[in-house]
Amino acid sequence: MERHRRGSFTEKKNKGQADDFCAVDVLSLAQELKEQLATGNSLAGVAGGSVSPPSIIIAEVKRLIRNVNKAMYDPHQVSIGPYHLIENPDLAMYAEKVRSLGAVLSAASAGGTALEVYVDELERLEGQARSCYAHSFDNITSREFVRMLLLDGCYLLTRFGNVDMAKGHMPGDMMEALAVARDALYLAENQIPFFVLEKVYQLTYPGGSISAMDAIAMYVRELLRAKQYSISAAVPPVSQPGNLLHLVHMHLVPALVPSSVTGSSGAIGIKKVGRWRSATEYNFAGVKFRKRRLLLGPEGAQCILSVKLVDSTLTLEVPTLYIDAETLPLLRNLMALEQRNHIMLGSHVVTAYCFFISQIACTAGDVELLSRMGIIVHDRSNHGEVARSLADLCTGIMFRPDDPRCNYLRPVWLVLEMGYRSSLRWWMAWLWRSYLLWMAWLRHKYFTNPWVALGLVAATVGLACTIVQTVYSVMSYKQQGAN
């Protein structure tokens, strides 16, 4: 049976064969796609102009990542942007944001900028702002969207942009300030485009000597220094950040040195990068761990990502990671930012660091070892709790460890793996683990009979002596060949 109807499929049989195919109304589909293209190209709507592609997309965290710990991605104090505007009305803080608007208007009174000017300018930016989100938010009208941009922008500038609060409202207590900083700076979904902040700041201080980026970057820099995440002097002269979380990312990434390994490396033969071994395994194989201090200058670490390996002594220098209630949410959301904007950001440096720290510190023994070295400092009740949190840090994250553009720690892994596999201690450790597993199986299987047990012990001792003799023979042969 054939159906000829506009926009529908047509089923046909070909020479009695059972394979069906679908024919599409080409003209109808082409017209539909043209309309969609026209809609997509007119995102400016009330802006009345074309919209340039956004550099950073603000997107919802993927469900597979979010389900590990939803609280890491949800705001607790204040909602910023459209994602949590409807879902969390208790966090909208409209009264607080309206007072921030009053503070901004008071600061702008010297320049004569009226409220209508702010609304008109943000209406022009609505389409561009909407294009910065992965979601269309058709349920939010233009009026509501512009109102949200203006109120959120004023709130963020009074909190982090040095806008005069004397005639508005004073910030709350320290705990509230920390909660606001966490929600506004660290969460991937809880963001508005940075150019909105810049526009509001320019209207407030026309002809000012500093920009919104300068003012907010100063706050971010001091915050990261206080938390011992970064001591970078300033953000390099690059393009404007996409949002506040991107600004935090910019303070961490540029501080990295091009090479993470000093000394000569013989790891060229290893091609595939696997998982990192635990700190206790590396330590058993002769790798030394040392705390790397945050210091300005070429020799010091400028952020927590600045891991360095001294190849000649097989010493791994790692900056101290202070783990508190904010550390893991920050790292998780920075990874979410990189996951969604891998092309624009150009690298996955935070993700590479998180894979490194989550795998070398995945057991209580690893955390205990690194704590003794001053590499991990935490406020949890025990090392096991920290190890479990770190072990789940990268669950659901996509990462390509063999891509040098994504994994800046790839040279470090290669050198450590070469040193680990060539170490006599590694072979002895492998033999010891194998022996323990074998003995556990024998104890369960045969050791109920004392005579059988005695014979197996004798055989085990003989086998162990043979293996040790073989290992030393091979090492002597290699040494003679080298001479």
Side-chain angles (χ1 to χ4, degrees), residues 61-72:
V61 178
K62 295 180 180 179
R63 184 176 302 176
L64 182 61
I65 302 174
R66 171 183 283 278
N67 287 343
V68 177
N69 192 332
K70 297 179 181 179
M72 297 282 186

Side-chain angles (χ1 to χ4, degrees), residues 41-112:
N41 290 330
S42 62
L43 284 174
V46 295
S50 61
V51 177
S52 59
S55 58
I56 296 295
I57 294 294
I58 304 171
E60 291 179 294
V61 178
K62 295 180 180 179
R63 184 176 302 176
L64 182 61
I65 302 174
R66 171 183 283 278
N67 287 343
V68 177
N69 192 332
K70 297 179 181 179
M72 297 282 186
Y73 307 100
D74 292 336
H76 299 162
Q77 183 72 24
V78 58
S79 66
I80 301 295
Y83 281 113
H84 298 277
L85 179 64
I86 299 176
E87 296 179 3
N88 299 298
D90 295 338
L91 301 181
M93 297 182 66
Y94 283 122
E96 186 82 2
K97 292 176 180 178
V98 169
R99 286 194 290 269
S100 297
L101 172 61
V104 169
L105 293 176
S106 297
S109 60

Side-chain angles (χ1 to χ4, degrees), residues 153 158-159 161 187 191 227 237 273 289 315 348 369 452 455 457 478:
T158 55
R159 284 286 181 170
L187 303 186
Q191 302 289 330
K227 302 291 292 183
V273 173
F289 288 90
T315 300
H348 281 187
L369 171 63
V452 173
V457 169
K478 288 185 176 181

Side-chain angles (χ1 to χ4, degrees), residues 124-141:
R124 297 175 184 275
L125 293 176
E126 182 198 350
Q128 186 178 353
R130 283 183 180 269
S131 70
C132 291
Y133 293 94
H135 195 278
S136 60
F137 296 108
D138 296 330
N139 58 329
I140 302 179
T141 65

Side-chain angles (χ1 to χ4, degrees), residues 127-391:
Q128 186 178 353
R130 283 183 180 269
S131 70
C132 291
Y133 293 94
H135 195 278
S136 60
F137 296 108
D138 296 330
N139 58 329
I140 302 179
T141 65
S142 293
R143 178 188 180 90
E144 293 170 338
F145 199 86
V146 172
R147 171 187 172 91
M148 175 203 70
L149 293 178
L150 179 57
L151 292 180
D152 287 355
C154 292
Y155 180 80
L156 294 175
L157 287 174
T158 55
R159 284 286 181 170
F160 312 120
N162 290 332
V163 172
D164 186 12
M165 300 297 299
K167 300 179 182 180
H169 71 288
M170 294 302 294
D173 58 24
M174 181 60 67
M175 294 303 295
E176 179 190 352
L178 291 176
V180 170
R182 171 203 178 269
D183 289 354
L185 298 177
Y186 295 170
L187 303 186
E189 299 173 349
N190 213 41
Q191 302 289 330
I192 61 173
F194 197 90
F195 58 77
V196 172
L197 300 177
E198 195 67 69
K199 175 58 69 175
V200 174
Y201 197 86
Q202 291 173 0
L203 294 174
T204 306
Y205 300 109
S209 58
I210 64 173
S211 64
M213 179 174 174
D214 296 329
I216 299 178
M218 187 182 306
Y219 180 96
V220 170
R221 185 161 56 251
E222 293 304 318
L223 177 64
L224 295 180
R225 285 192 177 192
K227 302 291 292 183
Q228 291 291 293
Y229 295 147
S230 169
I231 59 168
S232 60
V235 176
V238 294
S239 59
Q240 188 181 79
N243 52 61
L244 293 183
L245 179 63
H246 184 209
L247 181 60
V248 174
H249 189 274
M250 291 167 62
H251 276 80
L252 293 175
V253 174
L256 294 174
V257 293
S259 175
S260 300
V261 182
T262 61
S264 60
S265 170
I268 300 178
I270 299 179
K271 297 181 180 180
K272 294 291 291 182
V273 173
R275 64 167 282 116
W276 294 88
R277 302 187 185 275
S278 67
T280 51
E281 288 181 296
Y282 282 131
N283 185 61
F284 189 83
V287 177
K288 302 179 183 66
F289 288 90
R290 185 163 61 203
K291 177 177 70 174
R292 191 178 187 195
R293 298 185 180 277
L294 294 183
L295 296 171
L296 293 176
E299 296 300 323
Q302 296 188 33
C303 70
I304 58 173
L305 310 183
S306 301
V307 178
K308 178 182 176 182
L309 176 65
V310 182
D311 190 4
S312 58
T313 59
L314 214 60
T315 300
L316 192 61
E317 298 181 349
V318 186
T320 301
L321 177 64
Y322 293 89
I323 299 179
D324 57 20
E326 300 174 3
T327 306
L328 298 184
L330 173 60
L331 293 177
R332 285 177 181 270
N333 282 273
L334 285 171
M335 284 194 290
L337 177 74
E338 291 183 343
Q339 292 283 292
R340 186 58 180 84
N341 297 277
H342 60 280
I343 296 179
M344 293 299 179
L345 294 178
S347 63
H348 281 187
V349 291
V350 176
T351 304
Y353 170 80
C354 289
F355 268 82
F356 162 74
I357 200 68
S358 66
Q359 292 176 5
I360 70 165
C362 58
T363 69
D366 300 324
V367 176
E368 181 181 3
L369 171 63
L370 296 175
S371 295
R372 289 203 309 268
M373 300 294 104
I375 294 173
I376 288 182
V377 176
H378 65 85
D379 57 2
R380 306 296 174 85
S381 59
N382 56 74
H383 297 316
E385 183 182 352
V386 176
R388 287 189 295 272
S389 299
L390 290 175

Side-chain angles (χ1 to χ4, degrees), residues 396-417:
I397 299 294
M398 301 295 294
F399 182 58
R400 295 177 294 174
D402 283 305
D403 188 346
R405 296 169 298 179
C406 295
N407 188 5
Y408 74 103
L409 291 174
R410 183 174 182 269
V412 176
W413 186 93
L414 294 174
V415 176
L416 286 181
E417 189 67 11

